[in-house]
Amino acid sequence: MEHSGEDAIEASRYAIWGVEREALRIVIANEAAIRHLGFSRPELFGMTLMDLLPADAVAAIERHCPRGYRSDLPNRLGFFALQKKDGTRSSVELFCQAMRMQGEERIFVLARLHRLGPPPAIPPMGPPRSSPSV
């Protein structure tokens, strides 16, 4: 299914970013993602999912949005720690959805902040990994 929903993504109150399929490099980010993470758009576009999320979250995204998978509904992945620019982490509920946009297959990740009750435990996370240069 081909989407041209950049306006809907940008207007969302939830942090949303899209990654290219192969290296999971961030290629789309809405204003809510920029505001929550603290990175500029150019900074985010130089990052991959591995720079923001722990390995188990990245594995869940790859498992729930495999190559060639299409769905009109996002997959709920659970609660994970999201790395912010200032070094702090926030507990977020992640969802992912695979779709085509601008002729390319993308994985879109939506992060909803956890605000009700005590946050789930956030496991320790090492420093962000840098991506190999392409």
Side-chain angles (χ1 to χ4, degrees):
M1 170 177 240
E2 181 81 27
H3 287 270
S4 60
E6 291 106 293
D7 290 339
I9 290 169
E10 188 60 43
S12 176
R13 65 185 176 141
Y14 298 112
I16 300 175
W17 57 94
V19 299
E20 58 85 19
R21 174 66 72 181
E22 298 305 317
L24 301 178
R25 185 177 55 83
I26 298 169
V27 294
I28 297 168
N30 70 356
E31 190 60 37
I34 291 163
R35 206 172 34 254
H36 180 73
L37 295 168
F39 294 101
S40 68
R41 224 177 227 115
E43 286 173 317
L44 280 173
F45 292 169
M47 301 171 79
T48 68
L49 284 184
M50 288 75 72
D51 295 316
L52 300 175
L53 298 169
D56 58 339
V58 175
I61 290 167
E62 291 175 324
R63 189 172 51 254
H64 286 89
C65 289
R67 184 176 310 290
Y69 174 80
R70 302 281 193 289
S71 173
D72 288 333
L73 298 173
N75 291 300
R76 182 185 177 280
L77 304 174
F79 289 94
F80 295 94
L82 182 62
Q83 187 74 36
K84 297 167 74 170
K85 184 176 182 173
D86 66 7
T88 62
R89 292 178 294 145
S90 61
S91 176
V92 293
E93 185 176 19
L94 291 182
F95 298 82
C96 72
Q97 185 170 0
M99 66 178 75
R100 291 187 68 76
M101 183 177 275
Q102 300 172 343
E104 300 288 332
E105 188 169 328
R106 305 275 190 233
I107 298 173
F108 288 85
V109 178
L110 180 144
R112 183 166 60 187
L113 293 175
H114 179 78
R115 292 193 176 152
L116 301 174
I122 298 177
M125 183 170 142
R129 296 182 289 175
S130 40
S131 337
S133 298
V134 188

